[in-house]
Amino acid sequence: YEHALRDSEARYRTLVNSATLGIIVVEDGLLRFVNPKALAVLGCIEAEVFNQPFLPLIHPDDQAQVKVNHARRLEGQAEGLTYAVRMQNRQLGWRWIEVSGVQFEWHGRPATLNFLTDVTERRQADDQIRELAYHDTLTHLPNRRLLLDHLKLARAACRRDGKSNALVFIDLDNFKPLNDQHGHAVGDLLLIEVAQ
């Protein structure tokens, strides 16, 4: 029986240690277990975080959300809950980490088994796509799509509140001759300067 138990534990350790997700156990607010992938996500060694409070690793602006979600998970009310928070990586600084998990018992005490995935690059790509979709690449000013969206909202607010608003249009005189005479690079510099 003991041999079968040791084999089972060895398989479990191999599975958890080779997982591509960061896996941590939080019990009584402390990190009780951290797999190698979680250590990579945090940019530290096990001795730096084992039995240490979990909350200081979370960005101060995200700590309230983590407290609420951790309490919900402990109560078994967070099935399927996945959310992103900023966590401190000792080498890379703040990183966006997607957190999911389940309630379970750790040595007979209530705890949470949490799965961590670094989604920083994905969030940065999403931000860049959003920037490209709604802002001019040269001046970084809102583009026509964003202008029309804002105008639609402003008109609806005016109708609702019975107020009026105005739109100011700025035109650059003789821009085409400047572009033709001095090239598009000079025209671009003028547009950037006007935008600022």
Side-chain angles (χ1 to χ4, degrees):
Y1 174 77
E2 286 181 31
H3 182 66
L5 182 60
R6 277 195 307 273
D7 284 349
S8 175
E9 286 179 8
R11 282 192 302 272
Y12 161 77
R13 285 198 190 287
T14 301
L15 177 68
V16 170
N17 287 336
S18 62
T20 58
L21 289 175
I23 301 172
I24 62 172
V25 173
V26 178
E27 183 265 321
D28 202 24
L30 303 175
L31 285 168
R32 301 298 191 184
F33 174 84
V34 184
N35 79 338
K37 182 63 177 182
L39 292 172
V41 166
L42 300 173
C44 61
I45 60 172
E46 186 175 10
E48 294 174 307
V49 293
F50 183 69
N51 281 335
Q52 296 300 310
F54 174 64
L55 215 48
L57 298 172
I58 306 297
H59 191 280
D61 294 345
D62 298 334
Q63 288 183 6
Q65 176 189 12
V66 170
K67 285 179 189 176
V68 168
N69 289 338
H70 182 70
R72 286 179 60 205
R73 211 179 295 288
L74 277 173
E75 294 166 4
Q77 298 176 355
E79 187 176 327
L81 175 66
T82 300
Y83 60 97
V85 295
R86 288 160 291 182
M87 292 183 72
Q88 182 72 41
N89 178 296
R90 304 255 166 111
Q91 280 86 42
L92 303 173
W94 294 111
R95 307 285 292 173
W96 282 102
I97 307 300
E98 193 171 78
V99 181
S100 60
V102 295
Q103 171 202 31
F104 85 132
E105 282 191 10
W106 181 257
H107 299 292
R109 295 185 45 89
T112 59
L113 177 64
N114 303 274
F115 306 102
L116 311 178
T117 305
D118 190 328
V119 294
T120 304
E121 281 79 17
R122 184 175 69 196
R123 286 187 71 113
Q124 289 170 341
D126 289 347
D127 290 346
Q128 187 175 16
I129 289 168
R130 197 168 10 295
E131 173 73 19
L132 291 170
Y134 292 108
H135 292 85
D136 178 74
T137 54
L138 179 65
T139 63
H140 301 287
L141 290 175
N143 65 13
R144 183 179 312 217
R145 176 182 290 146
L146 190 57
L147 170 68
L148 293 175
D149 286 349
H150 282 263
L151 281 175
K152 187 186 217 180
L153 293 171
R155 289 181 67 203
C158 287
R159 278 194 299 273
R160 184 181 60 247
D161 300 336
K163 296 181 178 178
S164 59
N165 57 15
L167 174 65
V168 176
F169 181 81
I170 299 175
D171 188 21
L172 295 178
D173 290 339
N174 302 316
F175 182 71
K176 183 175 178 357
L178 173 85
N179 239 359
D180 293 344
Q181 229 173 14
H182 300 284
H184 291 287
V186 171
D188 287 352
L189 288 173
L190 177 63
L191 290 175
I192 291 168
E193 189 69 26
V194 170
Q196 289 175 348

